[in-house]
Amino acid sequence: MQDAAQRLKNIAERLLGAELPVRLRAWDGSEAGPPGAPLLVVRSRRALRRLLWKPGELGLARAWVAGELDVEGDLYAALDIMAGLIWERDPDAGGEGRSLLRALRDPSVRAAAGDLVKLAGPFPPPAPPAEETRRTGRLHLHTKGSDKQAISHHYDVGNDFYELVLGPSMVYSCAYWESPGATLESAQHDKLSLVARKLALKPGMRLLDVGCGWGSMAVHAAREHGVSVVGVTLSQEQAAYARKRVAEEGLTDRVEIRVQDYRDVRDGPYDAISSIGMAEHVGAERYLEYASDLYALLKPGGRLLNHQIARRPQTDESSYEVDEFIDAYVFPDGELAPVGTTTGLLERAGFEVRDVEAIREHYALTLRQWVRNLEARWAESLRLVSPGRARVWRLYMAASALSFERNRIGVNQILAVKTPESGTSGMPLRARTWTG
């Protein structure tokens, strides 16, 4: 009888309709596949049972988080190959490859699926890893209560862990890499400075920082531009950390950090609003409400800087589905929209959109640095969070870096103004000079 790796390789190639471009190591120590290719390690037959029960991304994710699947060697190369082989084949393009889900439904490969069942061992499948969000459906998304739960799932995993990944800047959004010799910390400082320049922050102004995270933008704006800042977050751990930073900087007279939903902010008007990496949590059904609420909180002539990840548009937008792995393990209820949709909704709310700067390559550089931080201190990360949680973050950040590099997703800074009826926007004639 063939060893497990060769059997698994044969079955995979029959199911996918293509040669397997990765090397396999199975639970019995056997290996098969092209020498020198990225090595996919199947540590347990439980991984196969997960995949049979949930073909495609979620089954693979569960096996990865549980430690039943791993990659040895270049993780980025392995993910790039797997993405092209499993997730991104066009079933109507006439190519050799077929998506795993499509293959398992194809009568012509049912015999291979049967062999996979035999190799996988007894059912039922293992329970999902503890790190997976337990869902009861998507009928009541983006209420204040559900948003608070989703934010807590993602952000309340320990500030020490976030410090390990993000570094001293504690900025959880893409940095702005202005020079080849920039460090992560200097690039994050440059990003915050860019936001401040776009908002034309000056002493005496009031800034609302929506989704303020660990307080980096609030501290930067108050310390370097002399503004008064209200930062709001739904995360108790973020708020505690941000308040400590504010106190250590001696800025308690200028910065207030609240655990508050942006929909409950009632003390406008503000001169400017920053929303950096928060709007992805809002959801399509609530986005116009989000834009309208921020518009109402600004004084006439005030500026909004909306920094947000975007996806590519689809021919049929109604067919958009949330990424299963991200939804189950990273950002519950998060939704991405094309940048054109976002600018359209901001305009419907009353804003005049004055500038859109696409910076997706900057996010790829940032994510790769976060992955390096995590990998360099892997043993320490396992003392701070569960092994499954650390594996979630490594996979999520590495896969996201590739998605930005391949233009599968992007990120944009949208500058919008609450232009008064007079039409005087207060913007410079050449906006990209950012002279205020």
Side-chain angles (χ1 to χ4, degrees):
M1 180 179 288
Q2 291 178 327
D3 54 40
Q6 188 62 52
R7 291 175 65 193
L8 185 55
K9 175 180 179 294
N10 292 343
I11 292 169
E13 290 179 345
R14 290 158 65 194
L15 290 172
L16 294 168
E19 291 187 5
L20 199 64
V22 297
R23 188 165 180 80
L24 294 175
R25 180 189 297 152
W27 53 91
D28 63 353
S30 61
E31 293 190 14
L39 182 63
L40 182 64
V41 182
V42 186
R43 300 192 187 281
S44 169
R45 293 191 300 170
R46 291 160 60 94
L48 306 185
R49 296 202 292 274
R50 292 187 192 277
L51 194 55
L52 283 164
W53 189 257
K54 280 288 184 183
E57 182 171 338
L58 188 56
L60 288 168
R62 286 174 172 172
W64 173 273
V65 175
E68 298 154 3
L69 280 182
D70 205 350
V71 168
E72 288 188 9
D74 190 333
L75 176 61
Y76 295 100
L79 289 175
D80 218 15
I81 290 172
M82 295 298 289
L85 184 68
I86 296 176
W87 291 283
E88 293 170 12
R89 295 285 186 177
D90 182 354
D92 298 318
E96 291 184 58
R98 288 170 289 189
S99 75
L100 182 57
L101 182 58
R102 185 179 178 87
L104 287 174
R105 292 173 175 169
D106 189 332
S108 68
V109 296
R110 284 180 181 169
D115 289 343
L116 183 60
V117 170
K118 294 175 185 176
L119 187 60
F123 275 67
E131 292 79 9
E132 183 170 320
T133 303
R134 299 297 185 257
R135 313 194 65 83
T136 57
R138 299 180 61 85
L139 298 178
H140 303 290
L141 294 182
H142 303 297
T143 63
K144 292 176 183 179
S146 69
D147 281 354
K148 189 174 183 65
Q149 289 178 351
I151 293 299
S152 179
H153 173 87
H154 187 69
Y155 294 105
D156 291 340
V157 300
N159 291 329
D160 290 344
F161 178 74
Y162 275 100
E163 281 186 325
L164 183 151
V165 173
L166 303 180
S169 66
M170 285 298 279
V171 179
Y172 186 35
S173 54
C174 78
Y176 198 73
W177 301 85
E178 295 194 288
S179 63
T183 65
L184 176 61
E185 285 67 43
S186 68
Q188 290 291 15
H189 179 275
D190 289 344
K191 190 271 297 297
L192 298 177
S193 294
L194 179 67
V195 171
R197 292 198 304 275
K198 289 181 177 183
L199 291 173
L201 297 183
K202 295 179 177 61
M205 293 175 64
R206 294 184 75 215
L207 170 69
L208 174 63
D209 188 28
V210 179
C212 66
W214 293 271
S216 299
M217 181 64 200
V219 168
H220 177 93
R223 183 184 61 213
E224 301 195 21
H225 298 275
V227 304
S228 297
V229 187
V230 171
V232 297
T233 176
L234 294 177
S235 167
Q236 295 283 351
E237 291 197 23
Q238 283 186 334
Y241 189 99
R243 287 167 182 155
K244 184 173 183 289
R245 292 179 75 182
V246 169
E248 290 173 347
E249 292 276 353
L251 295 171
T252 53
D253 60 329
R254 275 184 275 168
V255 178
E256 179 188 0
I257 303 296
R258 304 174 185 168
V259 178
Q260 185 178 35
D261 193 291
Y262 73 91
R263 288 165 283 195
D264 293 329
V265 176
R266 296 286 184 267
D267 59 348
Y270 288 86
D271 298 283
I273 298 177
S274 53
S275 179
I276 306 173
M278 176 270 177
E280 297 88 342
H281 295 289
V282 170
E285 293 183 2
R286 297 282 187 177
Y287 204 90
L288 183 58
E289 176 187 355
Y290 159 83
S292 299
D293 284 349
L294 299 192
Y295 184 85
L297 286 166
L298 274 174
K299 74 172 189 180
R303 300 183 187 181
L304 164 69
L305 192 286
N306 189 82
H307 177 120
Q308 182 176 345
I309 298 172
R311 61 175 172 84
R312 302 293 299 168
Q314 298 183 178
T315 303
D316 178 11
E317 278 293 315
S318 66
S319 67
Y320 167 65
E321 294 182 355
V322 174
D323 181 281
E324 285 188 302
F325 167 62
I326 298 293
D327 191 48
Y329 288 99
V330 186
F331 290 109
D333 301 339
E335 295 179 64
L336 301 182
V339 64
T341 300
T342 299
T343 56
L345 289 168
L346 289 170
E347 289 181 328
R348 282 182 60 189
F351 283 105
E352 179 187 8
V353 174
R354 295 297 303 236
D355 186 79
V356 179
E357 183 174 4
I359 54 174
R360 67 175 175 83
E361 293 89 351
H362 294 255
Y363 218 155
L365 292 170
T366 305
L367 283 156
R368 282 181 176 263
Q369 184 59 60
W370 290 344
V371 172
R372 281 192 287 271
N373 287 349
L374 178 60
E375 291 178 340
R377 300 171 66 184
W378 185 253
E380 185 179 350
S381 77
L382 298 183
R383 293 194 294 269
L384 298 174
V385 296
S386 68
R389 180 70 63 192
R391 292 173 64 81
V392 165
W393 277 81
R394 183 168 178 247
L395 177 61
Y396 142 64
M397 293 190 299
S400 295
L402 287 172
S403 291
F404 283 107
E405 288 167 356
R406 302 295 186 264
N407 191 28
R408 298 168 193 146
I409 54 176
V411 61
N412 306 279
Q413 288 192 350
I414 303 171
L415 182 65
V417 180
K418 185 176 180 175
T419 304
E421 291 184 5
S422 67
T424 304
S425 69
M427 293 289 299
L429 292 177
R430 293 187 63 229
R432 282 293 172 89
T433 61
W434 304 123
T435 57

